[in-house]
Amino acid sequence: MDNKEQGSQKHFSFEIKKKMQGLGRAGVIKTPHGEIQTPSFVAVGTKATVKGITPEMLEGMGAQVALANTYHLYLQPGDELVAKAGGFPKMMNWQGPTMTDSGGFQVFSLGEAFGTGVSKVASGEDIVVSERKGYSKSKKFAHIDEDGVNFRSYIDGTWHRFTPERSMEIQWNLGADMIFAFDECTSPLAQHEYQREAMERTHRWAERSIVRHEELDPENKQALFGVVQGGRFQDLREESARVLGAMNFDGFGIGGSFNKDDMAEAVGWVNRILPEGKPRHMLGIGEPMDIFAGVGNGCDLFDCVSPTRVARHGRIYTADGQVQIKNARFREDFTPLDSECSCYTCQNYTRAYIHHLQRSKEILGQTLASIHNLHFIVKLVDDIRQSIYDECFEEFKDEFLKRYYTK
Ligand SMILES: [Zn+2]
């Protein structure tokens, strides 16, 4: 890795600048590629690209950090090739701070959840369905054992194996500033007994991840985050936070699965125990309501593919909630997507134009919508951060959520 900093100089730090009542805080993470003001929304570039968005556009919308997926880049184009290119940040021409995930979530999402339509956030309905249907489908796509996991490539069906050590090696090759220990991300539907088994295995994998990381990266150029698991269960979440919090990690991820109704509470259980002075990343969460809950309960970083994924299908975030731009009522609407938005799209284009582009399946329609949605979420988290400094987080939250979720 190309890094001019030498010797004992610290490559990574976190400083809390302002605390709220309760667990929430604002701060600054320092990385070899710049600072991150927290709380912050992390742009997801799954395959080393935020789909349809250039790094210049990302910078223009105020994105501070980009995250790529270990699983996807390992399969295509391969982590060794990415290493030859100088790491994924260099390959994609993104100058700012970066992260990669552990690959563990994809083991879950392309394994157990494959074909069931169940995401990492369960609603009450999902749980009822699962108790009826059981899990028999899962075994075909991923096999988890004590040492690691065998899984099938979603591209060509070939079998591959991840272990904690392998995840560290792949993430070293990918070259992000912040990486995650290998974890097993369970289904939100899994019961207590299995959640405990998976959590304890994740803790053993965390220790192995630390050992391999130290061998690969003795100067700690890459910050290593441990991932707290434990599903919906308070005793397990607290135990996971205690065990991982005592390990030598630079920060922590809080992994799925959550129950939608008690997500805020579950995050609170964890963050009351994790060391206060280390950053906490709520993995895969991007709904405004959930971001407020996460910040209020002490999370510093959030990432989610939703803003760009739904944008490509015409769903647009506005201060008054989401709209479907392909809807006929926007055909002759010559106002911006959101009249209060300062993004490139809203400064230069109309709803009618983006309606037309999306209906006629023009690539630019997806790009313009993605710029807007990503800007919307990045700015929302920026505004949340400002509200912490201004000591009006609760007021800002009530005002925003009331408008966003009332149609
Ligand atoms: Zn906009």
Side-chain angles (χ1 to χ4, degrees), residues 322-352:
Q322 294 190 15
V323 297
Q324 173 50 261
I325 199 66
K326 287 188 269 191
N327 195 300
R329 71 190 162 104
F330 298 115
R331 201 177 123 78
E332 295 187 32
D333 185 338
F334 300 104
T335 64
L337 290 178
D338 183 341
S339 56
E340 292 162 40
C341 181
S342 60
C343 85
Y344 168 77
T345 301
C346 292
Q347 294 310 301
N348 296 286
Y349 304 94
T350 63
R351 290 175 159 188

Side-chain angles (χ1 to χ4, degrees), residues 71-115:
Y71 170 92
H72 287 96
L73 290 179
Y74 157 78
L75 288 176
Q76 190 180 42
D79 55 293
E80 283 168 15
L81 186 127
V82 175
K84 281 183 195 162
F88 95 84
K90 189 165 182 219
M91 198 179 193
M92 74 177 279
N93 190 32
W94 169 253
Q95 321 285 338
T98 48
M99 310 180 110
T100 45
D101 64 0
S102 72
F105 175 63
Q106 279 74 22
V107 164
F108 157 75
S109 60
L110 302 176
E112 283 202 25
F114 191 90

Side-chain angles (χ1 to χ4, degrees), residues 146 184 193-207 229-230 236 239-240 243-244 247:
E146 176 57 28
E184 179 181 344
E193 191 185 352
Y194 187 77
Q195 289 284 13
R196 168 168 289 284
E197 186 188 321
M199 178 196 77
E200 288 174 349
R201 185 162 41 236
T202 288
H203 296 167
R204 291 189 291 274
W205 288 358
E207 283 174 345
Q229 291 290 353
L236 300 183
E239 186 177 332
S240 191
V243 171
L244 292 171
M247 292 185 195

Side-chain angles (χ1 to χ4, degrees), residues 334-402:
F334 300 104
T335 64
L337 290 178
D338 183 341
S339 56
E340 292 162 40
C341 181
S342 60
C343 85
Y344 168 77
T345 301
C346 292
Q347 294 310 301
N348 296 286
Y349 304 94
T350 63
R351 290 175 159 188
Y353 181 55
I354 293 156
H355 168 90
H356 154 68
L357 291 178
Q358 290 245 353
R359 294 274 284 221
S360 55
K361 298 190 165 55
E362 286 290 337
I363 298 170
L364 186 60
Q366 301 191 358
T367 293
L368 292 177
S370 295
I371 289 174
H372 168 78
N373 275 5
L374 207 44
H375 175 99
F376 184 92
I377 290 292
V378 166
K379 176 150 190 317
L380 170 63
V381 182
D382 289 350
D383 289 347
I384 290 174
R385 180 172 65 246
Q386 193 56 47
S387 80
I388 297 173
Y389 284 113
D390 295 342
E391 299 180 358
C392 60
F393 171 80
E394 290 298 335
E395 293 89 327
F396 177 65
K397 174 181 155 184
D398 292 345
E399 194 185 325
F400 180 92
L401 293 180
K402 196 175 162 197

